[in-house]
């Protein structure tokens, strides 16, 4: 790709050496697995040689992975920590990792009463034995539950709950040791208060968050659990004698109550959007299920058309459909599902296709509605184009789009037959539909319906020369 | 080739960053473009990307111009070969310059919500239209209107889009055959 100078890029050997220096023997296989899982960056081949080169910073990243791996078994949580650290990780995968962790948490809480009581959440977290940091403290499950409850009460800033749990601070000391910076500062309740999220909405809050919101949440959480406690340490409260800043920073990061992170991210996201969400609650009874579903799907089409694919969030769709984001989550419990159903909706929306088949059999009516449709059904067209490009990256969408285009080829074939071209061959159908598609794209770009009309007149002349309309 | 002419005042690093931006858009869409994603693609730092382009908008617009120029060099019927050579190679070009094509479609579909993108894309398409008109005129002097050029380029654009999405070059070749047939029929029938 013509990137000059890869002097500071690392070959596999020096990378693995960095892993060993961090205290772990990383095998080629392990490295490949982490690469495959997106936890390590992809290497590029050195020009003119067989060696693979990893981008600068990969050694730091591998060393971090080695230390994380020693205490956290879940790859999802490791991904979340890497993200929090600021390493480049695929944001969609982070979103899914957090959501998946929260879904499991919600499922664990649900039978215990549904409402997100601190006890329910704490006991669910304490039960995730072996996946989490607090599982290592040599405590009974009951003690772990109390430790988690204190951490949650602290992180989400509920003073009453916190006061009731003061006695349990000793548990945190046992876990993190005296002066354990991150956890102990969290436990003093000096962090900013956050709303305690409802378990059922936890995953949805994360799934529907835009990349920007997630990045903001990342910074807030990082500031809360890493930098802020570090500042407190540096201010001298419990700074160990002679410890260097970098050592302190590393220790702070290593002491993160890792399994609380997804919950914190959801809490911050909830706080970020709690204001605009409030007046949105419907005052009338919601319409019957079928209608809400339909309204949501139609809203999805409009949202993709206007804001692109990445704009397809629960919140944007809810706003467009005039419903709550809880309702969207109820009908489509994952973003994947919403996307899939919205794609199916594209096939059903006849607006974009209707303009292909002429109303009458004369050649003059061929494409007569196209310029108007490109204008009036702009959303439907844009939606389908966005989906087309997206289909390159998603095999499930590719299938839907393939069927959609087959429908269009059929419509084009019918249209050609109607104006008098007998048994139009595959090639002609493909050319004519491509021309129609291209004219719509051009009109999207330069908004010149008259030029579209003029080009269509030329298309009719061409079809006439090919035998349409009595060969005129 | 068009790159060279531009490259005089630009450090190679800058062009590499623009190429990286084109790749990011092709892979993740326009919303995927950030200092960080482009830096990662180019194997450099987000700070360097910021240093070169200052804003995300200007990075995107410059990348659009670069992809556009390259598409003109590769994918437009200019030069000695004329329309025939160009059409012969349409499916090949769609395959080779995939990222540039995806990028341009992303830009085209985004033009309604970004006025500055719309302006740039309208210019680019106007240019495509003129070049197509010139190439057609060499086949049938005196019979080619801007409207016909618009139609022919629309067909080319539509065929490339379908190939970009579904990766079926043989269907592109089929569409091209029909386009040729239609042009021949049209020119044969015109009184000249």
């Amino acid at each position: 790709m013509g990137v000059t100078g890869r002097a500071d890029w690392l070959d596999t050997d020096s990378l693995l050496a960095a892993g060993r220096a961090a205290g772990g023997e990383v095998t080629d296989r392990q490295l490949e697995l982490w690469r495959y899982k997106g936890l390590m960056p992809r290497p590029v081949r050195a020009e003119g040689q067989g060696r693979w080169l990893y981008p600068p910073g990969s050694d730091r990243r591998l060393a971090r992975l080695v230390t994380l791996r020693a205490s956290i078994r879940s790859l999802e949580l490791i991904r979340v920590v890497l993200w929090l650290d600021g390493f480049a990780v695929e944001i969609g995968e982070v979103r899914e990792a957090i959501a998946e962790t929260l879904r499991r948490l919600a499922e664990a809480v649900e039978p215990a009463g549904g409402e997100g009581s601190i006890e329910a959440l704490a006991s669910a977290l304490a039960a995730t034995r072996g996946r989490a940091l607090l599982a290592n403290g040599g405590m009974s499950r009951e003690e772990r539950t109390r430790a988690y409850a204190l951490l949650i009460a602290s992180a989400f800033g509920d003073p009453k709950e916190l006061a009731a749990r003061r006695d349990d601070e000793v548990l945190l000391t046992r876990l993190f040791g005296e002066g354990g910076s991150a956890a102990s500062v969290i436990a003093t309740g000096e962090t900013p208060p956050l709303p305690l999220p409802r378990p059922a909405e936890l995953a949805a809050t994360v799934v529907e968050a835009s990349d920007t919101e997630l990045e903001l949440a990342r910074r807030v959480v990082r500031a809360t659990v890493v930098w802020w406690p570090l500042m407190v340490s540096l201010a001298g409260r419990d700074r160990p004698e002679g410890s260097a800043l970098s050592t302190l920073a590393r220790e702070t990061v290593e002491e993160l109550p890792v399994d609380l992170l997804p919950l914190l991210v959801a809490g911050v996201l909830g706080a970020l959007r709690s204001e605009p969400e409030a007046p949105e609650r419907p005052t009338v009874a919601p319409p019957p299920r079928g209608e809400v579903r339909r309204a949501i799907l139609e809203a999805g089409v409009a949202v993709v058309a206007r804001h692109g694919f990445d704009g397809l969030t629960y919140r944007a769709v809810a706003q467009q459909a005039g419903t709550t984001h809880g309702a969207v989550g109820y009908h489509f419990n994952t973003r994947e599902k919403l996307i899939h159903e919205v794609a199916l909706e594209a096939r059903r929306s006849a607006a974009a296709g209707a303009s292909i088949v002429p109303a009458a059999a004369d050649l003059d009516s061929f494409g007569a509605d196209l310029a108007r449709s490109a204008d009036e059904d702009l959303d439907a067209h844009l939606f389908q184009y966005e989906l087309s490009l997206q289909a390159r990256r998603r095999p499930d969408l590719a299938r839907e789009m393939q069927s959609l285009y087959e429908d269009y080829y059929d419509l084009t074939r019918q249209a050609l037959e109607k104006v008098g071209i007998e048994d139009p061959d595959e090639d002609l159908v493909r050319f004519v539909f491509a021309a129609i598609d291209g004219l719509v794209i051009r009109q999207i770009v330069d908004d010149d319906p008259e030029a579209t009309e003029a080009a269509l007149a030329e298309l009719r002349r061409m079809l006439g020369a090919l035998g349409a309309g009595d060969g005129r | 080739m068009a790159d060279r002419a531009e490259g005089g005042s630009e450090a190679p690093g800058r062009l590499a960053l623009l190429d990286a931006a084109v790749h990011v858009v092709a892979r993740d869409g326009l919303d995927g473009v950030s200092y960080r994603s482009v830096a990662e693609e180019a194997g450099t730092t987000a700070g360097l990307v910021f240093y070169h382009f200052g804003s995300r908008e200007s990075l995107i617009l410059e990348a659009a111009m670069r992809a556009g120029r390259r598409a003109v060099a590769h994918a437009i019927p200019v030069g000695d070969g004329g329309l025939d050579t160009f059409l012969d190679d349409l499916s090949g070009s769609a395959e080779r310059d995939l990222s540039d094509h995806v990028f341009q479609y992303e830009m085209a579909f985004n033009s309604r919500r970004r006025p500055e993108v719309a302006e740039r894309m309208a210019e680019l398409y106007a240019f495509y239209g003129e070049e197509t008109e010139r190439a057609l005129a060499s086949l049938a002097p005196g019979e080619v209107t801007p409207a016909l050029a618009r139609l022919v380029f629309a067909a080319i654009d539509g065929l490339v889009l379908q190939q970009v999405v579904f990766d079926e070059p043989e269907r592109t070749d089929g569409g091209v055959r029909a386009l040729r047939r239609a042009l021949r029929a049209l020119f044969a029938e015109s009184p000249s």
Side-chain angles (χ1 to χ4, degrees):
Chain A
M1 233 183 309
V3 178
T4 52
R6 295 202 195 272
D8 45 354
W9 287 50
L10 300 131
D11 61 19
T12 314
D13 287 343
S14 31
L15 191 65
L16 294 180
R20 269 192 300 279
E25 186 64 39
V26 181
T27 60
D28 278 336
R29 229 180 113 81
Q30 180 71 61
L31 184 61
E32 197 182 318
L33 175 75
W34 283 343
R35 225 169 45 213
Y36 172 72
K37 294 276 184 189
L39 295 172
M40 283 296 291
R42 264 179 322 195
V44 298
R45 209 180 263 289
E47 269 159 47
Q49 310 168 38
R51 290 187 312 149
W52 289 97
L53 293 180
Y54 286 80
S58 301
D59 46 349
R60 252 179 351 101
R61 184 164 172 160
L62 187 70
R64 181 72 172 132
L65 265 171
V66 167
T67 44
L68 288 174
R69 196 68 180 126
S71 58
I72 311 172
R73 206 175 301 166
S74 152
L75 288 184
E76 285 157 16
L77 281 177
I78 291 180
R79 191 188 303 281
V80 175
V81 177
L82 283 181
W83 169 70
L84 193 75
D85 283 348
F87 288 105
V89 244
E90 172 61 41
I91 189 68
E93 286 173 10
V94 173
R95 185 186 281 112
E96 198 34 54
I98 300 177
E100 186 50 36
T101 316
L102 292 171
R103 254 176 236 131
R104 279 201 306 264
L105 185 62
E107 274 165 25
V109 171
E110 216 64 61
E115 278 301 298
S117 76
I118 290 178
E119 276 81 10
L121 286 170
S123 116
L125 280 169
T128 57
R129 196 188 182 94
R131 269 208 301 269
L133 194 67
L134 291 200
N136 299 334
M139 294 182 177
S140 72
R141 178 155 166 186
E142 190 262 329
E143 284 173 323
R144 285 205 309 273
T145 305
R146 271 160 48 209
Y148 273 112
L150 176 58
L151 282 173
I152 297 172
S154 314
F156 291 91
D158 183 332
K160 257 203 336 242
E161 288 279 357
L162 198 58
R165 293 170 202 280
R166 276 283 170 226
D167 291 347
D168 290 336
E169 275 184 35
V170 61
L171 292 173
L172 294 187
T173 316
R174 261 173 66 194
L175 264 174
F176 298 107
E178 290 292 342
S181 36
S184 66
V185 170
I186 284 187
T188 58
E190 293 175 39
T191 48
L194 297 168
L196 186 64
R198 296 162 154 277
E201 288 174 10
L202 283 173
T205 312
V206 177
V207 165
E208 66 147 358
S210 70
D211 291 359
T212 321
E213 285 170 325
L214 267 181
E215 173 59 18
L216 194 54
R218 185 185 77 82
R219 290 183 196 178
V220 172
V221 171
R222 187 166 168 77
T224 310
V225 302
V226 180
W227 293 115
W228 202 74
L230 182 61
M231 303 283 274
V232 174
S233 294
L234 286 177
R237 208 181 61 159
D238 28 45
R239 181 175 183 177
E241 217 37 55
S243 54
L245 176 59
S246 58
T247 318
L248 261 183
R250 203 179 53 241
E251 283 170 0
T252 309
V253 171
E254 275 161 17
E255 283 163 7
L256 286 179
V258 173
D259 33 3
L260 273 189
L261 290 179
L263 201 56
L264 279 172
V265 171
V268 170
L269 287 170
L272 285 177
R273 64 174 44 142
S274 54
E275 300 130 36
E277 200 69 304
E280 216 192 283
R281 304 256 171 240
T283 49
V284 292
R289 189 188 158 110
E291 281 169 42
V292 176
R293 205 184 144 81
R294 170 130 300 276
I296 291 171
L297 287 175
E298 280 167 11
V301 172
V303 166
V304 171
R306 279 170 217 166
H307 306 291
F309 216 77
D310 293 345
L312 189 67
T313 64
Y314 283 21
R315 183 161 56 142
V317 171
Q319 235 158 41
Q320 177 74 26
T323 178
T324 62
H325 100 255
V328 181
Y330 172 77
H331 286 283
F332 307 93
N333 55 6
T334 66
R335 183 164 181 263
E336 291 308 304
K337 181 142 192 228
L338 179 64
I339 289 172
H340 186 73
E341 295 280 321
V342 167
L344 280 175
E345 178 66 15
R347 276 198 80 185
R348 291 185 216 114
S349 80
S355 55
I356 296 178
V357 181
D362 62 315
L363 189 50
D364 284 345
S365 63
F366 187 91
D369 284 337
L370 191 70
R372 190 194 48 74
S373 160
D375 225 31
E376 289 175 10
D377 308 323
L378 181 65
D379 276 2
H381 290 290
L382 281 175
F383 173 72
Q384 290 185 8
Y385 290 131
E386 283 284 351
L387 280 194
S388 303
L389 289 186
Q390 205 66 26
R392 299 181 53 249
R393 304 167 205 141
R394 297 169 171 268
D396 52 330
L397 271 185
R399 259 192 314 279
E400 304 298 341
M401 293 314 289
Q402 194 94 46
S403 328
L404 179 67
Y405 271 76
E406 293 303 334
D407 289 354
Y408 282 149
Y409 294 143
D410 279 345
L411 288 172
T412 308
R413 193 170 296 114
Q414 289 169 31
L416 289 171
E417 280 169 355
K418 200 161 178 181
V419 297
I421 294 190
E422 272 174 43
D423 204 9
D425 63 38
E426 188 89 334
D427 291 352
L428 184 64
V429 169
R430 206 147 313 268
F431 154 64
V432 172
F433 179 70
I436 290 173
D437 219 15
L439 287 174
V440 174
I441 296 174
R442 181 73 187 269
Q443 193 174 319
I444 288 173
V445 169
D446 65 12
D447 196 12
D448 189 350
E450 279 173 31
T452 307
E453 292 294 358
L456 281 167
E458 294 286 1
L459 179 59
R460 284 180 209 116
R461 262 203 328 134
M462 257 181 195
L463 294 177
L466 288 171
D470 303 319
R472 255 191 315 126
Chain B
M1 22 200 136
D3 316 352
R4 283 286 168 275
E6 272 309 301
S9 61
E10 288 169 321
R14 191 180 163 82
L15 293 184
L17 293 179
L18 290 175
D19 284 343
V22 170
H23 281 285
V24 169
V25 172
R27 195 186 55 216
D28 302 329
L30 211 49
D31 292 335
V33 176
S34 65
Y35 295 133
R36 183 187 294 201
S37 64
V38 171
E40 198 182 346
E41 179 71 30
T44 181
T45 62
L48 187 71
V49 182
F50 177 77
Y51 166 80
H52 275 301
F53 301 99
S55 81
R56 185 173 167 274
E57 287 308 310
S58 71
L59 169 64
I60 291 175
L61 287 180
E62 285 196 45
M65 289 175 69
R66 180 162 168 80
R69 272 189 229 112
R70 198 162 31 208
V72 170
H74 293 185
I76 280 294
V78 286
D80 304 334
L83 193 62
D84 270 333
T85 318
F86 166 70
L87 285 178
D88 282 343
D89 190 38
L90 188 65
S91 59
S93 147
E95 213 164 304
R96 276 194 309 277
D97 304 324
L98 184 66
S99 290
D100 286 345
H101 289 296
V102 177
F103 181 85
Q104 287 184 62
Y105 290 122
E106 281 282 359
M107 296 293 280
F109 304 152
N110 270 280
S111 51
R112 284 300 169 98
R113 39 190 149 106
R114 294 165 183 262
E116 75 285 2
V117 168
E119 205 178 309
R120 201 54 54 84
M121 290 313 287
E123 277 169 23
L124 192 60
Y125 269 84
F127 181 75
Y128 289 157
E130 284 160 23
E131 291 300 324
T132 309
E133 193 177 342
R134 266 223 311 256
L136 283 170
S138 69
L139 294 184
E143 290 175 31
V144 179
T145 60
L148 181 63
R150 188 178 177 102
L151 175 70
V152 170
F153 186 74
I156 290 171
D157 209 22
L159 287 171
V160 171
L161 174 63
Q162 285 165 41
Q163 186 176 328
V164 161
V165 174
F166 300 118
D167 192 21
E168 293 170 329
E170 63 287 352
R171 291 189 147 181
T172 308
D173 296 337
V176 165
R177 275 197 299 275
L179 168 61
R180 283 205 168 106
R181 210 186 329 144
L183 281 172
R184 266 199 309 274
L186 183 69
F187 292 146
E189 195 166 85
S190 300
S192 60

